[in-house]
Amino acid sequence: MIILAVETSCDDTGIAILEIREKLSSPFKILSNVVSSQVKLHKKYGGVYPSLAKREHQKNLPLVLEKALKEAKNPKLDLLAVTIGPGLEPCLWTGINFAIDLAKKMNLPLVPVNHVEAHILVNFINGPWMKTHDRRFLSREIFPAVCLVVSGGHTQLILMKSIGNYKILGETRDDAAGECLDKTARILGLEYPGGPAIAEQARQWKSKFLISNFQTNSKSQITKIKLPRPMIYTKDYDFSFSGLKTAVLYEFKKRSPKIRGSKKYIREMCFEVQQAVIDVLIKKTMKAAKNYKAKSIIIGGGVAANKELRKQFAEKIRKEIPYSKFYIPDSEYCTDNGLMAAIAAYYRRKGKTKNWKKIRANANLKIGEYL
Ligand code: KG4
Ligand code: ZN
């Protein structure tokens, strides 16, 4: 079976073509996965403008399709898929209209894809998932799983009992973790998207200042800037990151222009804000994993591309719940792409339809909902 999937939920235009070879030991073969990023355009504004993003998707989709088909050597397609939500409504509609046109032309059924579920299911491309996609194997080895989806638009902890069976344990009450990093970057005068820019500054601070502090056994504080870890000790599984961004703003405003313009200050602030986000995400995920006796922890979304987060999560799980497995996609599959939609469509293929009118964008679609 060959699936072509379209993803336009935010500012990346993605189309992937995935071959599924049911009887082989590595069932998924990526024929192409083309992503056209709009980062350069949105950089100027420090964030994503939905109407601008929509126009770019309209422009990019035919080009991305042509490239994806060419790379895959124009295979015979069996199924189409498109992300219907959650995401930015004008962007979602652009992808949906494009996919419906294509489906009509090719007379192929279309699978509606939930973007948050796709961030989780993209993990199925790697590791033990490749051995088999037999549902019994997955159930025995993987479920129940605690999933953390953490991106620019979402921060959710989800209990996954099987594919399609989800319960949202908690979510952000205001900003998503990635949104907090993007806004912090803007305050500090760093580029959009903020996550990778902050990660780079934090890395430089760590290698220059933190290591030299340790080497000289200096008694000076590791970071002088102290930011809050919002809701880290609350009993629920909710998050709140808007206060963290405000704390960054107050800390920043309190400093003289000379200090806040210095590389050292910016890097230290990046290190601290990144660590604050990581501390909260790890603490809550570990709590859920222990409470629900999770056989695995599955992570996805753009922020999961963060190297420190990946490292610290792996260490914590190894130390505290070594019996749990840890799944996190390769960094390139953490940020939005068509492949995640193609994999999700494979597992949700029963939802395919030729009733085009049923396929509608839903900016607030919850995990487990499809139409
Ligand atoms: O999943 P994604 O591509 O789009 C949404 O569904 O939102 O995630 C984008 C988010 C942005 O907020 C970006 O700053 C963040 O992911 N991000 C990162 C890194 N790469 C992307 N955050 C931290 N570290 C990174 N390396
Ligand atoms: Zn996403």
Side-chain angles (χ1 to χ4, degrees):
M1 182 198 300
I2 298 186
I3 303 176
L4 180 147
V6 178
E7 154 64 44
T8 59
S9 66
C10 190
D11 62 337
D12 291 306
T13 316
I15 295 186
I17 303 178
L18 178 71
E19 183 180 353
I20 293 107
R21 303 164 308 173
E22 303 265 357
K23 300 231 161 57
L24 297 187
S25 60
S26 51
F28 295 123
K29 185 170 180 211
I30 305 165
L31 302 183
S32 59
N33 184 29
V34 180
V35 180
S36 169
S37 164
Q38 302 178 9
V39 158
K40 271 195 195 142
L41 179 78
H42 298 293
K43 238 177 205 169
K44 280 189 254 165
Y45 307 98
V48 180
Y49 272 78
S51 54
L52 210 62
K54 173 189 159 178
R55 242 188 19 228
E56 282 299 296
H57 284 310
Q58 282 169 334
K59 214 165 73 189
N60 291 339
L61 275 165
L63 307 174
V64 173
L65 175 68
E66 197 185 316
K67 196 163 173 215
L69 285 170
K70 197 171 162 202
E71 271 181 27
K73 302 196 173 65
N74 284 307
K76 186 180 166 305
L77 303 172
D78 300 295
L79 199 56
L80 300 184
V82 64
T83 304
I84 60 158
L88 302 172
E89 189 151 339
C91 299
L92 291 165
W93 270 119
T94 313
I96 291 171
N97 289 333
F98 186 82
I100 290 178
D101 276 352
L102 212 59
K104 280 182 182 166
K105 258 186 230 151
M106 296 178 167
N107 192 27
L108 286 176
L110 190 52
V111 184
V113 168
N114 181 305
H115 184 66
V116 170
E117 183 179 36
H119 270 306
I120 294 171
L121 295 185
V122 75
N123 277 285
F124 284 49
I125 199 74
N126 270 328
W129 314 101
M130 287 297 267
K131 279 192 218 149
T132 173
H133 46 179
D134 174 343
R135 289 202 177 199
R136 269 170 309 174
F137 168 84
L138 294 176
S139 311
R140 254 194 337 266
E141 300 284 316
I142 316 289
F143 303 124
V146 161
C147 311
L148 171 71
V149 177
V150 61
S151 69
H154 322 281
T155 304
Q156 279 189 339
L157 262 176
I158 296 155
L159 179 67
M160 181 181 188
K161 290 191 179 157
S162 63
I163 295 170
N165 183 342
Y166 306 99
K167 183 180 170 208
I168 298 174
L169 300 175
E171 59 194 325
T172 184
R173 294 185 181 174
D174 38 58
D175 290 355
E179 192 179 355
C180 168
L181 295 174
D182 293 339
K183 287 177 177 169
T184 295
R186 194 149 37 154
I187 294 170
L188 300 179
L190 300 173
E191 286 188 334
Y192 174 83
I198 286 176
E200 176 52 23
Q201 295 294 319
R203 189 192 62 75
Q204 292 190 27
W205 192 81
K206 192 177 167 190
S207 62
K208 264 208 180 124
F209 300 103
L210 194 58
I211 290 175
S212 64
N213 267 357
F214 279 134
Q215 279 168 350
T216 56
N217 271 336
S218 158
K219 293 230 166 54
S220 66
Q221 246 182 309
I222 289 175
T223 61
K224 293 198 183 85
I225 300 171
K226 281 284 161 219
L227 295 171
R229 269 63 175 160
M231 296 185 71
I232 194 163
Y233 294 118
T234 57
K235 284 197 181 125
D236 53 32
Y237 294 107
D238 282 348
F239 301 92
S240 164
F241 289 105
S242 121
L244 179 57
K245 166 212 66 195
T246 310
V248 169
L249 186 64
Y250 285 150
E251 159 58 42
F252 185 75
K253 279 191 167 166
K254 171 167 108 178
R255 306 289 168 180
S256 69
K258 190 172 169 225
I259 290 192
R260 64 191 196 207
S262 74
K263 272 189 189 159
K264 183 170 183 288
Y265 178 78
I266 303 273
R267 288 175 183 168
E268 186 175 345
M269 179 76 103
C270 288
F271 179 87
E272 176 65 3
V273 75
Q274 177 178 275
Q275 195 54 50
V277 168
I278 293 174
D279 285 347
V280 178
L281 294 175
I282 292 186
K283 186 88 184 173
K284 293 251 158 153
T285 309
M286 294 298 288
K287 191 171 99 164
K290 287 175 191 170
N291 278 358
Y292 288 93
K293 298 191 172 40
K295 285 190 186 159
S296 60
I297 293 175
I298 302 177
I299 307 201
V303 179
N306 186 278
K307 279 195 189 137
E308 273 302 314
L309 177 101
R310 300 168 79 89
K311 196 177 100 198
Q312 293 183 31
F313 245 121
E315 277 167 10
K316 195 80 174 169
I317 292 167
R318 205 171 43 237
K319 238 193 230 159
E320 292 188 11
I321 42 171
Y323 46 85
S324 290
K325 293 172 200 74
F326 178 43
Y327 298 108
I328 189 159
D330 288 348
S331 293
E332 65 173 313
Y333 304 143
C334 289
T335 45
D336 293 347
N337 62 83
L339 179 68
M340 57 193 267
I343 294 175
Y346 170 71
Y347 284 102
R348 303 299 310 167
R349 62 195 180 280
K350 275 195 187 142
K352 70 184 179 192
T353 179
K354 281 191 178 178
N355 188 354
W356 321 119
K357 282 192 205 124
K358 267 172 71 183
I359 310 236
R360 304 182 62 80
N362 182 347
N364 301 311
L365 195 72
K366 292 264 174 281
I367 190 159
E369 295 175 350
Y370 302 95
L371 281 175

